[in-house]
Amino acid sequence: MKKIKKLTALLLTLVMSLALAVPCFAADNNAGIESYYDLGNGITAVITVQPADNVPKPYAPRVDVDRTASPTDSFSYPLYPSDGTKCDAHVMNMAPLRSGINMSVHFDVVFNNGQTFSPKSFTVAPRYTATINLVDNRGNGLDCEIFVDVAVMNADSVDFNYWHFQGD
């Protein structure tokens, strides 16, 4: 009888330990947001929000700037057909990891043929990156301009890094 009680206590201890460990394996609720868009004319766009550690920086980005949104910042960068059919543009929230300083990122893409693409804004937590991937599947090259609006959500300002790469 004593051995059964000890074995039962041991099993209950193991079950309780495993139950307490479950949150360790839970996914971050801000990781892996992904939205896919078919823009027509063979052009697709994918927007993701993910931890910055998951986003590799190209060896030589075309543009790489550090900026501060106090409380907002807007800027744009042109893409040229001769530079390639794919573009990755990234905005990284440079606030300290547990600071709670979120930012809102909005991408607008204006093509030189007059077509526009304006998806919803995305919330980007500290040390997370919002990325827009544009692909011209026809092989003509991207002929557009990316407009980016960054707004701090719960502080006076937020530092961020923007970079993009265009190629094939």
Side-chain angles (χ1 to χ4, degrees), residues 33 35 37 47 104-108 117-123:
I33 296 172
S35 298
Y37 305 89
I47 297 178
S104 172
V105 175
H106 183 81
F107 295 106
D108 281 319
F117 169 60
S118 185
K120 67 176 185 170
S121 298
F122 290 86
T123 298

Side-chain angles (χ1 to χ4, degrees), residues 38 52 60 80 148 164:
D38 182 353
Y80 301 102
V148 184
H164 77 239

Side-chain angles (χ1 to χ4, degrees), residues 39 44-45 79 85-87 109 132-136 142 144 146:
L39 307 183
T44 57
L79 305 177
T85 59
K86 298 177 183 174
C87 174
V109 181
I132 184 169
N133 304 96
L134 294 171
V135 178
D136 181 350
L142 293 167
C144 58
I146 297 175

Side-chain angles (χ1 to χ4, degrees), residues 25-90:
F25 302 106
D28 189 336
N29 62 359
N30 199 10
I33 296 172
E34 183 172 282
S35 298
Y36 175 84
Y37 305 89
D38 182 353
L39 307 183
N41 298 327
I43 298 175
T44 57
V46 177
I47 297 178
T48 56
V49 177
Q50 60 186 330
D53 295 342
N54 296 352
V55 181
K57 256 193 169 177
Y59 180 70
R62 300 280 170 136
V63 176
D64 189 353
V65 294
D66 291 317
R67 297 176 72 130
T68 300
S70 306
T72 64
D73 192 7
S74 298
F75 53 96
S76 66
Y77 290 101
L79 305 177
Y80 301 102
S82 60
D83 289 340
T85 59
K86 298 177 183 174
C87 174
D88 296 333
H90 310 270

